[in-house]
Amino acid sequence: MTLPDGITELAPGKIASVVTYLEMTQRPEPRAVPDLPELSVQLHDAPSAEAYLNLYRLVGEEYLWFSRLMMEPSALEAHLASDSVEVWTVQKDGTDLGLLELEWMQDGACELSFLGLSPALTGGGVGRWLMEHALERAFKRPISRFFVHTCTLDSAPALAFYIRSGFVPYRRAVEIADDPRLTGLIPESCAPHVPLVRV
């Protein structure tokens, strides 16, 4: 369905965002990253749904990340245990503070499913450092393209960050969904920059 030009009114209880899809077809030249000896990136084979969602909430609640919260725990654990999925965490002093999830598709592409940092790690080049790790992992296999999407609910610098990292926008869409704060998936206190409009 194509949305008409102009303003489209949302029903109460709904949120909307503009989604930008980006891709690259070859590994860009590596970018300089800061030396971060206090941080490490750890691969987690088949993490539990509980551990994964705790980190997912830590890095994504303020941006209303909700897709993984809607999955049944058994389905999520099967996804995380798949040979086509890698889940990495950024650790500081043994605590998980950042998330990187990659998924290799049957068509030869690789998706950057999630890349996020807790507020304690934002700034200082940690995102660029983690992206270089993501690029290295994705292009270790013979892939046709590496792709990601972001939206206007994400952090303000996210889109520019992906473009600086070498991704090229190729499509946009409007996503409309139930506000996860009103369905109980996310606390109502999250994302105060997105006003609550109750049913």
Side-chain angles (χ1 to χ4, degrees):
M1 180 185 85
T2 302
L3 292 175
D5 289 347
I7 296 174
T8 298
E9 187 171 338
L10 294 178
K14 297 288 187 178
I15 55 171
S17 65
V18 177
V19 182
T20 300
Y21 299 84
L22 306 99
E23 66 181 357
M24 62 175 71
T25 56
Q26 60 185 11
R27 169 77 157 98
E29 287 296 318
R31 300 169 69 199
V33 297
D35 185 25
L36 300 168
E38 72 280 12
L39 301 181
S40 64
V41 61
Q42 302 292 329
L43 177 63
H44 295 262
D45 291 323
S48 71
E50 180 181 9
Y52 174 90
L53 290 177
N54 285 340
L55 182 57
Y56 181 88
R57 286 182 179 279
L58 177 67
V59 303
E61 270 191 345
E62 286 303 322
Y63 308 110
L64 300 184
W65 289 11
F66 63 88
S67 61
R68 292 291 188 249
L69 302 176
M70 297 180 68
M71 295 178 71
E72 291 293 330
S74 59
L76 178 56
E77 289 190 347
H79 167 79
L80 298 174
S82 169
D83 290 339
S84 64
V85 173
E86 285 187 359
V87 175
W88 296 79
T89 65
V90 178
Q91 293 187 347
K92 182 176 182 179
D93 298 326
T95 300
D96 290 329
L97 296 174
L99 172 66
L100 167 63
E101 182 181 335
L102 303 170
E103 182 174 3
W104 284 265
M105 306 297 181
Q106 290 186 348
D107 65 0
C110 179
E111 180 177 13
L112 175 56
S113 302
F114 295 101
L115 186 151
L117 301 170
S118 74
L121 293 185
T122 55
V126 181
R128 187 168 73 250
W129 173 82
L130 185 57
M131 177 61 79
E132 284 301 311
H133 180 76
L135 290 165
E136 180 183 348
R137 294 300 303 176
F139 285 97
K140 269 189 175 293
R141 305 189 193 186
I143 60 173
S144 57
R145 68 186 184 111
F146 191 30
F147 69 99
V148 66
H149 69 268
T150 187
C151 74
T152 49
L153 294 176
D154 210 342
S155 65
L159 179 57
F161 168 76
Y162 288 126
I163 293 171
R164 285 195 308 272
S165 298
F167 290 95
V168 177
Y170 68 92
R171 184 163 57 109
R172 282 187 297 188
V174 174
E175 180 180 17
I176 299 173
D178 292 330
D179 190 322
R181 297 167 297 181
L182 296 178
T183 61
L185 288 175
I186 292 176
E188 289 191 10
S189 58
C190 291
H193 61 287
V194 181
L196 277 168
V197 179
R198 297 184 183 277
V199 177

